[in-house]
Amino acid sequence: MKIAHIITRLIIGGAQENTVLNCEDLIRDYGDDVLLITGPPLGPEGSLLHRVEQSLMPHVIVPSLRRAIHPLNDWNAYREIKRILRDFQPDVVHTHSAKAGILGRIAAKSLGVPVVVHGVHGAPFYPYQNPLVREFYQWCEWYAAKKCDALISVADAMSDLMIRARIAPAEKFHTVYSGMEVETFLNSAPLRDQTRNRFGFSDHDIVVGKIARLFHLKGHEYVIEAARTVLRENPNVRFLFVGDGILKDEYLARIKNLGLEKYFTFTGLIPPDEIPAMISAMDLVVHTSLREGLARVLPQALLSGKPAISYDVDGAREVVIDGVTGFLLPPKSVAELSDAILRLAASPELRDQMAQEGRKRCEKRFDHRYMTEKIREIYLCK
């Protein structure tokens, strides 16, 4: 098949890693003719463009395809995407992310592309938005959904959210969990000592890790507040924040005001291939985002043999089974977060028990090859 994938920008992120792996699999395992269309990878989150270039994957950068709404840029991006698709003549167009999803679906449908699908990695509308903005995004998604044959969600929770918002009927949705290179996490244990030494952690330290951009709605502030209680009861706990972003200085200032500088380590921006090493250094993983499709760090933690604590948002409960593979907590909770961290910090046996159960549940369904197989089946039946 000739398949065009369209995504707004190739920053370091779950949707982007998912898309690149899907394209690589289609080319390598199925012999498909794949073209990846993307905007420039602008922003502080890093870029996956180097991986695309190193793999010699056919790709086109559309300079006007940007995340922010800009009528002139958006019109130019639409015209350029349509021109590229007209020249490529795909059998399938698979769009990702809000901006590329809307422009790409409209362009593909106008050209009569036989199969048009959209990947729902996360909804562009959410409870913490201005109501008018949320309503506008819902209308955009409703309109774009009419221009495609199927919507592929990374979690059942995403499908449920879109159905409740009347974006499209239930029969249009399919769940395919976001794939990753599971072997790198399954085999990451030997990296533990070297990585802990790199950040100065001792054998007695219990490292609580969080992997996310230092950005709004990612919830680092709740971890910082919970740390006050945690460290009073267990001074061996340490916190490792993996990622970078615009709120770094704000978080550092809060930590300094609390007198907790020696307990927190910030890694800065880390490339995706170093994430297994980062998780290997941790004893448990926390995920306190208030908005996420299904955070990749949750299955990554369990595959690496680490239990996970997560706020109960979107697809988290499909991986973090409360009391079984970790703890699922109310969003924005701090006391409950402190209690969960302390409970896991005190029991290596409980940590291991939860992680091993999680590993069994995640090993197949989060393998990128399984993801691509299921996605390709959807292409073929539409």
Side-chain angles (χ1 to χ4, degrees):
M1 289 188 286
K2 297 187 73 173
I3 304 165
H5 278 261
I6 311 175
I7 191 166
T8 306
R9 52 186 187 150
L10 278 179
I11 59 169
I12 294 175
Q16 293 76 15
E17 292 173 26
N18 167 308
T19 302
V20 170
L21 285 167
N22 192 192
C23 291
E24 291 175 347
D25 290 346
L26 291 167
I27 294 169
R28 182 189 61 248
D29 298 337
Y30 298 94
D32 291 325
D33 186 358
V34 176
L35 177 65
L36 177 59
I37 303 168
T38 181
L42 304 174
E45 301 91 348
S47 171
L48 288 177
L49 196 56
H50 67 283
R51 173 161 179 166
V52 170
E53 292 169 342
Q54 287 174 355
S55 68
L56 303 180
M57 183 190 303
H59 65 282
V60 180
I61 297 175
V62 177
S64 53
L65 181 54
R66 308 290 178 94
R67 185 184 188 190
I69 294 174
H70 187 290
L72 181 58
N73 276 342
D74 297 344
W75 173 245
N76 288 335
Y78 170 75
R79 291 177 62 193
E80 183 64 7
I81 289 169
K82 191 170 180 178
R83 182 194 66 76
I84 294 166
L85 293 178
R86 187 185 293 115
D87 291 344
F88 185 56
Q89 293 289 303
D91 303 303
V92 178
V93 166
H94 187 161
T95 63
H96 310 264
S97 59
K99 179 64 70 67
I102 292 167
L103 299 180
R105 279 179 279 178
I106 295 171
K109 200 66 175 179
S110 72
L111 292 170
V113 174
V115 177
V116 182
V117 303
H118 176 63
V120 183
H121 303 272
F125 52 89
Y126 49 91
Y128 308 98
Q129 272 174 320
N130 177 295
L132 291 176
V133 173
R134 185 165 66 247
E135 188 173 330
F136 171 70
Y137 283 143
Q138 284 184 237
W139 182 88
C140 290
E141 287 297 320
W142 170 82
Y143 179 77
K146 293 181 175 296
K147 306 294 182 181
C148 67
D149 303 291
L151 294 113
I152 303 175
S153 301
V154 297
D156 290 337
M158 286 292 92
S159 297
D160 294 342
L161 173 67
M162 302 289 268
I163 293 164
R164 287 197 304 271
R166 299 183 178 180
I167 302 303
E171 58 268 20
K172 213 164 186 175
F173 288 88
H174 307 261
T175 295
V176 180
Y177 290 108
S178 186
M180 57 194 69
E181 294 169 308
V182 296
E183 294 86 359
T184 61
F185 298 97
L186 293 169
N187 301 319
S188 64
L191 303 172
R192 177 179 172 84
D193 290 345
Q194 179 183 352
T195 309
R196 287 172 72 95
N197 290 338
R198 171 180 171 184
F199 295 112
F201 297 129
S202 75
D203 292 340
H204 302 293
D205 291 334
I206 307 298
V207 179
V208 177
K210 177 167 173 55
I211 301 176
R213 288 183 296 143
L214 306 178
F215 202 72
H216 303 289
L217 300 179
K218 294 297 184 181
H220 294 80
E221 62 269 32
Y222 306 115
V223 181
I224 294 169
E225 295 307 313
R228 302 167 70 182
T229 300
V230 169
L231 292 166
R232 275 200 302 268
E233 298 195 27
N234 189 337
N236 289 327
V237 172
R238 298 292 184 270
F239 294 88
L240 179 64
F241 282 179
V242 179
D244 205 349
I246 61 174
L247 298 182
K248 181 177 181 179
D249 290 343
E250 179 180 320
Y251 293 143
L252 287 171
R254 178 58 178 160
I255 291 166
K256 184 176 182 180
N257 287 341
L258 294 172
L260 302 178
E261 300 101 310
K262 75 174 186 176
Y263 300 100
F264 280 83
T265 299
F266 288 70
T267 69
L269 190 64
I270 294 291
D273 59 4
E274 287 190 33
I275 295 300
M278 296 300 108
I279 299 178
S280 76
M282 303 170 186
D283 294 289
L284 60 126
V285 172
V286 295
H287 180 67
T288 50
S289 175
L290 301 179
R291 172 184 174 240
E292 206 84 45
L294 198 168
R296 289 164 75 81
V297 69
L298 296 176
Q300 287 171 351
L302 295 171
L303 288 165
S304 303
K306 318 293 176 177
I309 300 171
S310 178
Y311 284 164
D312 188 3
V313 296
D314 299 329
R317 60 174 47 214
E318 296 170 44
V319 176
V320 181
I321 314 302
D322 191 43
V324 178
T325 65
F327 293 113
L328 204 61
L329 311 176
K332 297 187 177 182
S333 62
V334 172
E336 292 92 335
L337 179 60
S338 301
D339 291 344
I341 292 172
L342 284 167
R343 186 173 172 189
L344 285 175
S347 177
E349 295 80 15
L350 181 60
R351 295 198 300 268
D352 185 63
Q353 175 187 326
M354 288 181 162
Q356 293 308 317
E357 179 61 30
R359 175 176 283 188
K360 287 191 294 186
R361 292 169 181 253
C362 293
E363 187 168 351
K364 179 179 179 181
R365 63 177 172 159
F366 287 96
D367 189 312
H368 66 92
R369 290 155 296 201
Y370 183 72
M371 171 193 73
T372 299
E373 175 188 336
K374 294 302 174 185
I375 288 175
R376 201 171 188 278
E377 287 175 1
I378 294 169
Y379 296 163
L380 289 169
C381 73
K382 293 300 172 184

